Amino acid sequence: MNPTALTVHQKSRVLDIAFDDGSSFSISFELLRVYSPSAEVRGHGQGQEVLQLGKRNVGVTALEPVGNYAVQPTFSDGHNTGLFSWDYLYKLGNEQAALWADYLARLHAAGFDGDAGREPGAELPGAVSVHKGCGHAH
C-alpha cells in the first residue's frame, strides 16, 4: 500500500492521505497523536500503553519523510518520535471510528466525564503532577 497524496491541513488539524488502492482518509492530528507508534505512547510492551491526555488542539508543525515507507510528524506539544509507516496510516484511517471509540472509552475508564480528558492541561484524576517527561523511566 503506497500513498498517492498526502496533505496537512493546519486550520482543520487533519491529515488527508490517499492510497494507490483508491482509498482516502482524513485523519485528525489528535488521533495521530494519541495513537503515535512511539514508545512514549505504546510503552515497551503489551499493557504498558500510556493514555494520552489533553491532545484536542494538538497541531503538526512538521512532517518529514522517512525513506519511502513512512513519515515522522512533529506535533505542537513537542512529540516527534513516532514513525508512521504507510501501512500504519492506512490502518489508522481505515479503523479510525473504532480507534476513536476505544480512546474515548479509555478516557472514561480513567475517570474523565465525556471527553474532558481531551482538553489541554488535562491530568489523570488524583494524579500528582511532578514533571512532564517522556512517560517512562530511564
Side-chain angles (χ1 to χ4, degrees), residues 2-132:
N2 289 306
T4 57
L6 188 69
T7 308
V8 175
H9 297 280
Q10 295 294 348
K11 195 170 191 174
S12 57
R13 293 192 302 275
V14 297
L15 175 72
D16 283 344
I17 187 165
F19 289 92
D20 55 10
D21 70 346
S23 298
S24 62
F25 308 103
S26 290
I27 307 170
S28 73
F29 293 169
E30 183 178 9
L31 186 81
L32 291 170
R33 178 62 180 85
V34 301
Y35 282 101
S36 173
S38 66
E40 175 186 337
V41 174
R42 287 191 171 176
H44 294 288
Q46 188 68 20
Q48 294 185 2
E49 298 84 2
V50 178
L51 181 61
Q52 301 298 299
L53 303 174
K55 304 304 178 189
R56 180 191 300 269
N57 297 325
V58 74
V60 170
T61 59
L63 189 67
E64 299 297 325
V66 178
N68 291 321
Y69 67 93
V71 289
Q72 183 175 23
T74 298
F75 292 93
S76 58
D77 64 357
H79 180 71
N80 67 352
T81 58
L83 294 181
F84 290 77
S85 69
W86 305 140
D87 287 345
Y88 189 62
L89 285 169
Y90 190 95
K91 174 185 171 65
L92 289 178
N94 197 44
E95 299 175 13
Q96 64 184 312
L99 291 169
W100 189 252
D102 179 65
Y103 176 59
L104 293 179
R106 288 185 292 132
L107 286 174
H108 182 52
F112 292 99
D113 291 329
D115 62 358
R118 296 176 54 216
E119 294 304 321
E123 293 183 6
L124 287 172
V128 177
S129 181
V130 181
H131 65 83
K132 297 190 189 269

